[in-house]
Amino acid sequence: MVTSSAPGKVYLFGEHAVVYGEPAVPCAIERRARVTVTERADDRIRVHAEDLSLDGFTVEYGSDAGGTPDVNVSESVVEAGVRYVDAAVEQARDAADAPSAGFDVDVESEIPLGAGLGSSAAVVSAAIDAATRELGVELDEAELADRAYRAEFDAQDGEASRADTYCVTVGGAVRVEGDDCRSIEAPDLPLVVGFDGGSGDTGELVAGVRRLREEYDFAADTVETVGDLVRSGEDALAAGDLEELGRLMNFNHGLLAALGVSSRSLDSMVWAARDADALGAKLTGAGGGGCIVALDPTDETETALAFTPGCEDAFRAELDREGVRVEAA
Ligand code: MEV
């Protein structure tokens, strides 16, 4: 039995545009998904998921029969969970040259699902790490990040960049542009997260931006503008200029809203943060619902979000400089 964990993440800048080759800067936060993998004697997979914001589910499946879910959450959550674990198991089997290895997989997550905090990337990366170790193989960080990307790519029908999976695998702040992924220096950031209790469908949201970009030149220009903004954001990050970072986050939220991926609750939380004098605020991740991230060294934003209709949870999120790690073996 091996347990590995990986952190969630927020995007300081660049989600969606990163899918079209623009740079993005996500950073890992101190909220983790823990995945425990135990090899089975047969080739079946049993997934049990326990999420702090959900009731959880158990499903078992394999070569000889369909799944038999013991379900108390929505079918789409089970389907999504199983799709990601399945893709991770395939990567682990391939890496360890064990095509018919079976596993019990237990997922415990402090990261709300599909809410822009990298839950699927964290589960996939931790699952591949734990499953390969359980089969006696230890992957280096680069291969783990690559395999996690390929698993997410498969599970999301090709609509994925390397940003989420690279960030949660290596931890800290990272810069991703196409296949070029690297860690970057970042000061401690006073991040506050607001969560509306909902989630967006990443595949659908990415496809929506793709359609807009194909239809309107100015949508394609907006995506490129996000890229320019990210480059300015990198300079502000390197200089530790939090005020400039905040201004650029506000700008980035406006561009994401123009691309149609914000929502009423995300906009309300962003405005509540701004009214509370946050240095900046934006949605994080695919959008459509889920989380915003604000920059505020004071308690004002957290307090304001707690009283904002449509905000279910607000919390401070420290930058996590550690990526995937083994919790128990
Ligand atoms: C989702 O967390 C971030 C997107 O940019 C998609 C991706 O990069 O894979 C919307």
Side-chain angles (χ1 to χ4, degrees):
M1 183 199 90
V2 179
T3 304
S4 296
S5 74
K9 62 104 218 350
V10 292
Y11 273 88
L12 292 178
F13 309 109
E15 55 273 87
H16 283 289
V18 69
V19 175
Y20 308 100
E22 300 296 341
V25 177
C27 68
I29 56 168
E30 282 184 343
R31 283 220 158 190
R32 287 194 165 248
R34 290 177 182 74
V35 182
T36 301
V37 176
T38 312
E39 193 180 3
R40 294 170 61 113
D42 56 26
D43 65 356
R44 293 175 69 79
I45 310 294
R46 177 187 153 280
V47 183
H48 175 71
E50 208 58 69
D51 187 283
L52 298 192
S53 62
L54 295 164
D55 291 335
F57 65 83
T58 305
V59 55
E60 181 172 326
Y61 54 99
S63 52
D64 54 336
T68 49
D70 160 14
V71 179
N72 43 11
V73 294
S74 80
E75 221 172 277
S76 61
V77 168
V78 177
E79 269 173 26
V82 167
R83 215 170 42 238
Y84 285 108
V85 170
D86 227 16
V89 163
E90 277 314 313
Q91 287 298 327
R93 283 172 168 162
D94 183 60
D97 200 15
S100 52
F103 302 102
D104 285 339
V105 180
D106 283 272
V107 180
E108 235 184 286
S109 180
E110 303 164 352
I111 312 165
L113 289 177
L117 298 185
S119 56
S120 56
V123 167
V124 160
S125 186
I128 297 174
D129 190 61
T132 46
R133 286 174 191 275
E134 175 73 352
L135 295 173
V137 172
E138 203 172 311
L139 303 180
D140 63 31
E141 217 172 55
E143 184 173 356
L144 181 58
D146 182 55
R147 288 192 176 273
Y149 161 65
R150 286 194 262 153
E152 207 178 55
F153 188 87
D154 288 345
Q156 287 173 200
D157 297 327
E159 302 281 15
S161 73
R162 291 182 181 271
D164 291 28
T165 39
Y166 184 76
C167 180
V168 306
T169 302
V170 307
V174 306
R175 177 192 201 276
V176 173
E177 184 171 4
D179 290 343
D180 179 29
C181 304
R182 56 187 73 177
S183 294
I184 57 176
E185 292 296 320
D188 286 336
L189 296 167
L191 301 172
V192 180
V193 173
F195 175 39
D196 70 3
S199 61
D201 181 323
T202 301
E204 250 173 50
L205 288 151
V206 171
V209 174
R210 186 182 299 286
R211 277 195 299 275
L212 213 55
R213 203 174 149 267
E214 281 162 5
E215 195 170 344
Y216 299 105
D217 286 347
F218 49 79
D221 292 345
T222 303
V223 167
E224 274 181 38
T225 304
V226 173
D228 293 338
L229 185 152
V230 176
R231 284 180 274 273
S232 300
E234 284 174 67
D235 293 341
L237 200 60
D241 185 345
L242 296 187
E243 296 208 346
E244 175 71 353
L245 272 180
R247 274 194 293 273
L248 293 169
M249 286 167 70
N250 286 338
F251 211 137
N252 198 165
H253 181 77
L255 296 175
L256 287 164
L259 291 171
V261 298
S262 192
S263 70
R264 189 180 289 264
S265 55
L266 294 174
D267 284 344
S268 302
M269 293 190 289
V270 161
W271 276 104
R274 289 180 189 169
D275 287 346
D277 287 335
L279 298 171
K282 62 182 278 295
L283 70 84
T284 171
C291 291
I292 65 135
V293 57
L295 211 54
D296 188 354
T298 77
D299 293 336
E300 298 295 313
T301 295
E302 207 180 331
T303 307
L305 285 172
F307 290 101
T308 301
C311 176
E312 192 160 287
D313 195 11
F315 53 90
R316 202 159 265 294
E318 299 300 324
L319 177 66
D320 194 339
R321 298 191 187 269
E322 209 179 350
V324 170
R325 67 172 181 237
V326 178
E327 301 281 349

